[in-house]
Amino acid sequence: MGRFKTEGMSLAQLAAVAIGLAYAVGGVVGFAVTGFDGFTSSGGGRTLFGLTLNPFQSLFHLVVGLGLLWAATRDTSVTEGVLLGVGGVYVVATITGFIYAHIPVITITTAGNPDNYLHLVTGATAVVAALLSSAATGRKRRAAY
């Protein structure tokens, strides 16, 4: 069996793999818990470890996870851009989750919902990793000239 090689990967690519795996696995686990019944973006569904689960949210997390895994196989600048985009979406989801917890699109029903904290950590991690990777890549490019 082949081994996953991290040699030569940028910080952005490593972060995309880590966050992507977490969200892809979370999406699959979400479907295992909820099945495909009640496919809606509104609240409800079930919880696992305090995290809200429903098929719509599981599909979204699976798509985000697979998108990040795809991005990790691309050029570092592409990975950085995808991380910034995904991180931005999750930071906005955190803010709206804390302020407007009753919005059914993000399926968060209370401001103290653990989903808010998960979104904050992964969103901030994605943004910071993209920015740090971009800074490191820029230094390497300048040193080459």
Side-chain angles (χ1 to χ4, degrees):
M1 176 178 242
R3 290 178 19 176
F4 183 75
K5 297 191 185 331
T6 59
E7 185 177 330
M9 292 181 78
S10 68
L11 175 61
Q13 291 165 322
L14 292 170
V17 167
I19 297 169
L21 280 174
Y23 274 100
V25 168
V28 170
V29 168
F31 280 125
V33 170
T34 65
F36 295 91
D37 292 337
F39 201 90
T40 178
S41 63
S42 63
R46 299 183 182 168
T47 60
L48 180 66
F49 306 120
L51 300 171
T52 304
L53 300 175
N54 71 40
F56 178 81
Q57 193 174 35
S58 296
L59 177 63
F60 186 81
H61 286 157
L62 182 60
V63 169
V64 167
L66 293 176
L68 285 169
L69 291 171
W70 169 85
T73 67
R74 305 292 152 211
D75 182 70
T76 296
S77 60
V78 171
T79 309
E80 292 165 357
V82 171
L83 274 176
L84 282 173
V86 168
V89 166
Y90 277 106
V91 168
V92 169
T94 300
I95 293 167
T96 57
F98 281 129
I99 296 172
Y100 302 107
H102 62 282
I103 298 175
V105 172
I106 57 175
T107 68
I108 295 175
T109 56
T110 64
N113 190 303
D115 288 18
N116 284 323
Y117 301 102
L118 176 65
H119 293 159
L120 177 61
V121 169
T122 55
T125 300
V127 169
V128 169
L131 294 174
L132 289 175
S133 178
S134 179
T137 304
R139 282 193 299 273
K140 288 179 186 174
R141 283 190 202 124
R142 284 190 299 272
Y145 292 112

